Amino acid sequence: MTTMAVKIDHVSEDGIRQLVDAFYVKVRQDVELAPIFARAIPGDWGPHLDKMYAFWSSVMLTTGRYKGNPLAKHFALPGVRPALFERWLALFNETAEELFDDDISVEFRAKAARIAESLKLGLFYRPDRPWPPEAV
Amino acid sequence: MTFVVTDNCIRCKYMDCVEVCPVDCFYEGDNMLVINPDECIDCGVCEPECPAEAIFPDSQPGLEDWVKLNAQYAAIWPNISIKLDGPDDAKAFDGIANKLEQYFSAEPGQGD
């Protein structure tokens, strides 16, 4: 017998925690993303997850809990390339759809897409090169 | 992509935006705030928080001059990440048209 999990119909700190936890389980199993994250977070994942709970709380619940400079953090990561943002987004979208109902999942996915595009522009856009970059 | 602060912030400077911004990308002038386009991650959290409705995405047409002004002054004004008291007469200036020409000050604010 299978049971259908009831999808979450609102944004809360608890929902954000579930999303972040489930998302990073996928990330850590992903062939392309796992090595990047493993290099960036070689030890305890607790602090990173706490930071991500705070980040999404700031973005979705306007709590101001996260304060940081994500662009600089991404600049410092070796091996990041534009196509990995698409992979990241695909896993994030999949996780959001699994956990939340359509209305809420759309909100998460829209924010994630905007932020990913902005980080990608910040990292890779150069005035003298075509945008979007070739899929590399 | 970035959000930009526009005309109606001038002499209102309510500063609700700085509290919710996750990346502290607001910079304070004497009588308005601007967003550093190189630091803004386009999350849009600030837009609905602005009581003066002065914040817009730069994808909106007609904001080119504001995009330039935000970038120009974000480079020289101090960062602000904590909401301070705005001007006492903010309400009186909320909604007045063309404040840039009449009231804009290029002087830096105090920052925090």
Side-chain angles (χ1 to χ4, degrees), chain A residues 62 66-68 111 114 118 121, chain B residues 18 21-24 42-43:
Chain A
T62 64
Y66 173 92
K67 292 285 180 186
K111 289 288 185 197
R114 291 187 75 103
S118 175
L121 278 165
Chain B
V18 307
C21 176
V23 297
D24 290 345
D42 210 28
C43 73

Side-chain angles (χ1 to χ4, degrees), chain B residues 22-111:
Chain B
V23 297
D24 290 345
C25 67
F26 284 90
Y27 290 76
E28 187 192 9
D30 177 41
N31 65 18
M32 85 173 286
L33 304 178
V34 290
I35 290 172
N36 183 337
D38 294 332
E39 293 171 349
C40 172
I41 57 167
D42 210 28
C43 73
V45 170
C46 56
E47 184 186 15
E49 295 297 310
C50 176
E53 297 181 13
I55 303 177
F56 299 96
D58 70 347
S59 52
Q60 187 160 314
L63 294 180
E64 292 79 8
D65 289 346
W66 288 106
V67 172
K68 282 184 203 154
L69 184 142
N70 275 246
Q72 179 185 350
Y73 288 100
I76 50 178
W77 287 349
N79 185 257
I80 178 153
S81 59
I82 297 167
K83 182 181 175 180
L84 308 172
D85 290 332
D88 293 337
D89 55 0
K91 279 262 181 286
F93 285 89
D94 194 342
I96 292 179
N98 299 322
K99 291 197 269 186
L100 180 66
E101 290 165 20
Q102 303 174 71
Y103 303 117
F104 175 74
S105 164
E107 294 301 309
Q110 295 178 331

Side-chain angles (χ1 to χ4, degrees), chain B residues 4-26:
Chain B
V4 287
V5 185
T6 65
D7 203 68
N8 204 35
C9 181
I10 297 169
R11 292 199 68 165
C12 286
K13 205 167 91 169
Y14 290 116
M15 289 190 266
D16 298 64
C17 52
V18 307
E19 285 199 318
V20 296
C21 176
V23 297
D24 290 345
C25 67
F26 284 90

Side-chain angles (χ1 to χ4, degrees), chain A residues 2-53:
Chain A
T2 55
T3 47
M4 280 275 285
V6 177
K7 295 195 175 181
I8 306 170
D9 63 359
H10 62 285
V11 183
S12 68
E13 294 284 354
D14 181 60
I16 287 169
R17 190 173 277 265
Q18 288 186 50
L19 172 70
V20 168
D21 288 347
F23 171 65
Y24 280 103
V25 168
K26 290 180 198 281
V27 164
R28 297 175 78 175
Q29 291 169 353
D30 185 78
V31 174
E32 296 198 77
L33 292 174
I36 306 275
F37 278 88
R39 269 199 299 272
I41 309 162
D44 180 10
W45 270 68
H48 181 67
L49 295 176
D50 284 344
K51 209 176 288 176
M52 293 303 103
Y53 305 146

